[in-house]
Amino acid sequence: MSCPICQKATDTNYRPFCSKRCADIDLGKWLGAGYSVPSTDPEDIEEAIEQTLRALQERPERPN
Ligand SMILES: [Zn+2]
């Protein structure tokens, strides 16, 4: 089984993800952070991960 975010080996502590980072990214997807992977290139995925984490941190609280 591999991480659905980055395809690395799953860590039992964070399954089905490989790390808390990827778990957070998946959470970000559910929160509507607009996460998208532009390509399957690992560097592009890394870039998308960084952008997602940044968006999560900068995301302002907003009412319903
Ligand atoms: Zn991962």
Side-chain angles (χ1 to χ4, degrees):
M1 188 172 185
S2 60
C3 175
I5 303 298
C6 69
Q7 313 305 316
K8 290 178 185 170
T10 296
D11 186 307
T12 52
N13 289 326
Y14 300 109
R15 64 186 175 182
F17 308 102
C18 69
S19 64
K20 186 174 189 302
R21 191 163 102 136
C22 284
D24 284 347
I25 289 164
D26 189 70
L27 179 62
K29 284 163 59 177
W30 285 103
L31 291 175
Y35 170 79
S36 65
V37 181
S39 79
T40 55
D41 186 306
E43 289 189 4
D44 284 347
I45 293 173
E46 281 291 310
E47 175 84 19
I49 288 170
E50 293 301 328
Q51 288 178 358
T52 299
L53 292 179
R54 215 172 298 132
L56 281 175
Q57 288 168 358
E58 294 175 358
R59 188 179 178 82
E61 290 291 328
R62 67 178 185 188
N64 301 320

